Amino acid sequence: MSDTEKQYFASRLRQAVDHSDLTYTDLAHTSGISLSTINRWKEGKAVPRFENMLKLAEALNESVSWFFGRN
C-alpha cells in the first residue's frame, strides 16, 4: 500500500474516532486491538489487516470500504 493510501486511511480513522463517543483507549478496549497498533494506523505508519479492519469498522460503526473512500 502506498504512503498516500496509508495517510488517507489514517485521516479516515481520525475522522471516525472524532465523530464517535470513543477515545483511542476506548477503541482499543472495544475492538480488542492494542493501543500501540491503533496509534501506528492513526499516524499513517501502517494499515490494519482484514481481520482487524473488521473489528475497527464494527467498533466505529463504519463500513470497511468507507475507510478507503469507496462509499
Side-chain angles (χ1 to χ4, degrees):
M1 182 166 287
S2 73
D3 287 340
T4 301
E5 291 169 316
K6 288 177 187 176
Q7 290 303 317
Y8 186 83
F9 174 81
S11 173
R12 287 291 219 174
L13 174 58
R14 290 189 304 268
Q15 183 181 355
V17 172
D18 288 347
H19 290 111
S20 76
D21 292 331
L22 300 174
T23 65
Y24 288 100
T25 302
D26 294 336
L27 178 58
H29 182 2
T30 300
S31 66
I33 300 166
S34 73
L35 182 57
S36 62
T37 297
I38 292 171
N39 284 333
R40 287 181 49 78
W41 300 338
K42 178 178 74 169
E43 295 165 4
K45 294 180 180 176
V47 293
R49 294 182 184 151
F50 186 71
E51 63 197 34
N52 284 337
M53 189 70 244
L54 292 174
K55 293 176 186 177
L56 190 65
E58 183 177 340
L60 291 167
N61 198 30
E62 295 290 352
S63 69
V64 171
S65 60
W66 178 85
F67 283 96
F68 296 98
R70 295 192 172 96
N71 68 346

